[in-house]
Structures are given as structure tokens and as C-alpha cells.
Amino acid sequence: MLHCAQFAQFVSSTTSLTMNCYFQLMSLATLEFIFNLPINTYGLYLNITSRHIYP
């Protein structure tokens, strides 16, 4: 509970950031991560399988 109170105090101390705006930004970042993860994983797979790595 102390952490939540400290976080709420930090967010309220900045005038340009509200709790609603913060959670919207975090939701957007999470969605971007979820949608980009398969694309990046496939690109990594292609890079690993298309080139031979020698010791």
C-alpha cells in the first residue's frame, strides 16, 4: 500500500501527468510489445537460420 501511495503522490506532483494518462500510456506500450514480439521473433529466426556461424 505504501508503494501505491508514493506512486500516486509522484503522479499528482507533476501537472502534465494524470493517473488516467499514465495507465493509457502503459496500455499502449503493452499492446505495442505484444504485437511486435512475434514480428521480431520471426526476424530473429530468419537471421539465425539464413547465416552460418563458424567458431
Side-chain angles (χ1 to χ4, degrees):
M1 279 318 261
L2 179 63
H3 178 70
C4 292
Q6 289 175 343
F7 178 73
Q9 182 182 7
F10 170 73
V11 171
S12 66
S13 68
T14 60
T15 57
S16 62
L17 184 66
T18 62
M19 289 293 284
N20 189 25
C21 183
Y22 174 78
F23 285 119
Q24 286 178 352
L25 288 172
M26 289 300 111
S27 300
L28 184 63
T30 303
L31 285 174
E32 182 179 357
F33 175 76
I34 290 170
F35 285 124
N36 284 330
L37 185 64
I39 296 168
N40 291 332
T41 304
Y42 181 67
L44 182 63
Y45 168 76
L46 288 178
N47 284 331
I48 290 172
T49 57
S50 66
R51 298 180 184 163
H52 298 288
I53 301 174
Y54 299 105

